[in-house]
Amino acid sequence: MIEILFVLGLPVAGGLVLAVIGHRDEAPAVNVAVSLLTLIAAAALTVRVIADGPLLVLDKQFFVDPFNVFLVALTAFVGFTTSIFSRPYMRIEHEHGRLTVGRLRLYHSMYQIFNFTMLLALLTNNMGILWVAMEAATLATVLLVSLYRTAASLEAAWKYFILCGVGLAQALFGTILLYFAAERLLGAEGGALLWTELNNVKGSLEPTVLSLAFVFLLVGYGTKVGLVPLHNWLPDAHAEGPTPVSAVLSGLLLNVALYAVVRCKVLVEGSLHTAFAKDLMMGFGLLSVVVAAFLLSRQKDIKRMFAYSSIEHMGIITFAFGMGGPVASFAGLLHMTVHSLTKSAIFFAVGHATQKAGTQMMDNIRGLITLSPMIGWGLMLGTLAILGMPPFGVFTSEFLILTTAMRDQPWATPFLLLALGVAFAAVFSRVQPMVFGETTAKRLPLRPAMAPVFVHLALVLMLGLWIPPFLADWYRQAARLIG
C-alpha cells in the first residue's frame, strides 16, 4: 500500500511545491527530482506486484495487477525522461521570450499534476474515479497546450477541451449504465463501480445494458485515444503546445485512455460472450490506421505529421486488442511500450530541431546532420524505428499483429499493409531531406541534450532483438488478463 501512496503522493506534492517555486532557477531540477522519485516508487510497486501478485488495497479502491503496473512503470519512466528533456528546452523558450515567469511556473506545476492524473487513472479500482481522473487530465492538458497564449495555441486548447469534454460526457453516461447494470447484483453501497467486483459478476450482468454502455465508453474514451473520426483535437494539440507536452500526450495519455477502453472490454466480453466489443474495436482501430496513413502525406508541420503517426499507431494497438487472444494482446502491449518510447524520443529530437531552426515547417528545416549530427541521427533513427524497420521493437510488434491478422482476420490484412506502406512513404520522404538535405546554416556551437532520445531508442532496439524473460512473462500475464 505504501508504494501506491508514494506513486500518487509525490506528483501532487511536487505540483504544489512547483506552483510556488516553478519560476525559479532550481524549478527544473525539482521537476526532475520529483519525477525520479515517482519512477523509483513505481519500480518498487512493480517489484511488489511481481513478487506478491495483484494488490487490492485501501478498502478496494486501488487495484494493481500485471496489466496496469506495466503501464504505471512506463508512465513514470517516460515522465522522468521528459522532465530531463524539458530542462534545457523550457529554459531556451523562456530566454527567447515565448514564456513568461508565470507561465513557466504553470508549466512545472501542471506537468506534475498531469502525471498524477494519469497514474490515478491507472491505479484506481473505481470506474467513477477513473472517469474523474481522465477529466482532470483533460483540464491539466488544456492549461499546458495553451501555454504560449498565441491565437493558434488557444484555439487548439479550446478545441481539445470541447471535443474531449463531449467525449468524456459520453464516457460518463457509459459509466452510469455500467453502474445501473451492476447495482442489482452488488448493491448501491459503492461496490457496483469497483472493477474487481464487476469482473467477478460480469457473467451475470445484463448483456443489453452492457452493450449500450460499451458503445458510450468506447466513443468517450476513444476520443482521448484519438481514434478516427474522434481525432480532430490531437494534431492541433501536438502542434501548438510545448514539445515536452507533445511527448507525454503521445507517449502516455493515449495509452491511459486505451487502458480504460480495454478494462471495459473485459467486462463486456464476459457478459455478452459475443464478438460485439471485438468488432467495434477492430473497426475503429482499422479506420484510424487507414485514415491517419493517408493524412500523413498532406502535413507540412512536423509535429502535426507525427501527431497523425500517433493516431495511426493507436489504431494498430486498438485493432490488436480488438482481435484478442494471447499473441495479439501480447503484441498490443509490446506495441504500447515501443510506441511510447519511440514517439517520445522523436518529439525530443523534433523539439531540438524546431527550436534551432525557429520553425516547425518541414520545408524550412534542412541539413540537420550538418547542423548537429546528434539531432540528425536521433530524428532519423527514431523515424526508422516508428516506421517499423527491423531490428527495432516496432517491427516485432507489428509483425506479430500482422501475422495474427492473417490467421484470424484475413480480410483486414490488405488494409493494414496498404496503410503501413503509405505511412512509410509519407513520413520517410519528408524526414530524409530534413536530415540529409543541403543547408547553408552554420553548425550549432553547442551539443543538445540528446541522452533521453538515445536511451529510449536503445530500449526500443533491445526489445526488437531480445525481450528480457521477466518482461516477456509480464506481457504474457497481462495478455491473459485482458485477452
Side-chain angles (χ1 to χ4, degrees):
M1 182 177 76
I2 190 70
E3 295 92 344
I4 293 176
L5 294 178
F6 273 111
V7 169
L8 295 177
L10 284 166
V12 173
L16 294 174
V17 170
L18 288 166
V20 178
I21 68 162
H23 61 289
R24 298 181 183 175
D25 292 341
E26 63 269 22
V30 173
N31 193 39
V32 172
V34 173
S35 300
L36 175 59
L37 291 173
T38 305
L39 174 59
I40 293 170
L45 179 62
T46 302
V47 171
R48 173 87 179 273
V49 171
I50 291 174
D52 300 339
L55 301 176
L56 189 61
V57 297
L58 290 176
D59 195 28
K60 300 182 180 180
Q61 293 301 310
F62 293 97
F63 175 63
V64 193
D65 64 6
F67 179 30
N68 61 350
V69 80
F70 137 72
L71 288 170
V72 167
L74 182 62
T75 299
F77 176 75
V78 176
F80 168 61
T81 55
T82 304
S83 70
I84 294 175
F85 161 74
S86 74
R87 285 188 69 182
Y89 183 88
M90 299 306 286
R91 185 187 71 245
I92 293 171
E93 293 292 275
H94 177 56
E95 291 173 354
H96 288 175
R98 299 194 69 191
L99 291 176
T100 64
V101 168
R103 291 178 204 162
L104 207 56
R105 184 167 62 241
L106 177 66
Y107 166 77
H108 286 121
S109 59
M110 282 300 107
Y111 182 84
Q112 290 299 327
I113 297 301
F114 180 53
N115 281 339
F116 162 74
T117 59
M118 290 189 292
L119 293 168
L120 177 62
L122 292 171
L123 289 171
T124 184
N125 189 34
N126 190 307
M127 299 300 290
I129 300 299
L130 171 61
W131 181 86
V132 171
M134 294 300 296
E135 184 68 47
T138 300
L139 296 176
T141 316
V142 166
L143 295 174
L144 290 169
V145 170
S146 63
L147 200 65
Y148 291 131
R149 297 295 191 272
T150 62
S153 66
L154 290 172
E155 180 186 350
W158 182 247
K159 182 186 289 188
Y160 173 78
F161 178 72
I162 293 297
L163 292 178
C164 289
V166 171
L168 287 174
Q170 312 300 311
L172 176 61
F173 188 64
T175 305
I176 293 170
L177 289 174
L178 199 60
Y179 176 82
F180 175 74
E183 184 187 6
R184 300 176 186 177
L185 296 172
L186 299 172
E189 300 301 320
L193 280 177
L194 298 180
W195 187 86
T196 49
E197 299 295 317
L198 290 165
N199 193 45
N200 290 335
V201 300
K202 61 187 177 184
S204 304
L205 295 174
E206 174 58 42
T208 304
V209 178
L210 260 290
S211 300
L212 188 59
F214 185 72
V215 171
F216 282 99
L217 289 164
L218 177 60
V219 170
Y221 291 129
T223 305
K224 296 285 286 187
V225 178
L227 299 177
V228 174
L230 314 165
H231 66 286
N232 289 328
W233 64 270
L234 197 148
D236 289 344
H238 280 64
E240 301 303 332
T243 302
V245 176
S246 302
V248 290
L249 271 176
S250 197
L252 299 179
L253 182 62
L254 307 186
N255 281 354
V256 175
L258 187 54
Y259 161 83
V261 173
V262 173
R263 283 291 195 200
C264 298
K265 170 181 176 280
V266 171
L267 300 177
V268 176
E269 282 191 327
S271 173
L272 271 63
H273 302 292
T274 66
F276 175 74
K278 294 175 59 174
D279 291 344
L280 273 179
M281 289 186 69
M282 284 193 295
F284 272 104
L286 194 60
L287 179 65
S288 301
V289 175
V290 174
V291 171
F294 281 95
L295 287 175
L296 278 167
S297 61
R298 300 178 57 188
Q299 304 312 309
K300 298 180 180 179
D301 183 304
I302 186 170
K303 290 174 71 175
R304 288 182 68 89
M305 183 180 73
F306 283 113
Y308 277 103
S309 173
S310 294
I311 295 171
E312 177 209 359
H313 284 277
M314 295 313 294
I316 292 172
I317 299 168
T318 304
F319 180 82
F321 285 140
M323 283 194 295
V327 178
S329 297
F330 181 99
L333 293 167
L334 177 60
H335 202 81
M336 261 186 167
T337 308
V338 294
H339 174 257
S340 292
L341 294 172
T342 308
K343 191 56 63 65
S344 52
I346 287 173
F347 275 114
F348 297 162
V350 165
H352 285 303
T354 56
Q355 202 170 54
K356 303 303 180 185
T359 178
Q360 293 178 190
M361 295 295 107
M362 290 182 280
D363 290 342
N364 297 328
I365 303 174
R366 289 290 183 269
L368 289 175
I369 203 76
T370 302
L371 294 175
S372 173
M374 298 279 281
I375 295 176
W377 282 115
L379 180 58
M380 179 51 69
L381 291 175
T383 300
L384 292 175
I386 205 65
L387 291 175
M389 289 294 288
F392 289 102
V394 179
F395 168 79
T396 305
S397 56
E398 287 183 348
F399 179 80
L400 289 172
I401 292 169
L402 279 170
T403 52
T404 306
M406 289 176 186
R407 184 192 66 194
D408 298 340
Q409 308 291 337
W411 61 272
T413 308
F415 296 102
L416 288 172
L417 289 172
L418 173 65
L420 291 174
V422 170
F424 184 96
V427 175
F428 189 79
S429 65
R430 294 301 185 90
V431 173
Q432 190 272 337
M434 291 175 61
V435 175
F436 297 109
E438 297 293 330
T439 180
T440 57
K442 295 180 180 179
R443 185 166 180 165
L444 296 177
L446 300 175
R447 280 190 176 184
M450 295 290 289
V453 175
F454 291 106
V455 168
H456 281 210
L457 293 178
L459 290 172
V460 174
L461 178 62
M462 181 194 75
L463 292 173
L465 297 172
W466 173 70
I467 302 176
F470 78 89
L471 189 58
D473 290 340
W474 198 359
Y475 286 147
R476 280 192 285 267
Q477 289 178 44
R480 282 195 296 269
L481 290 171
I482 64 176

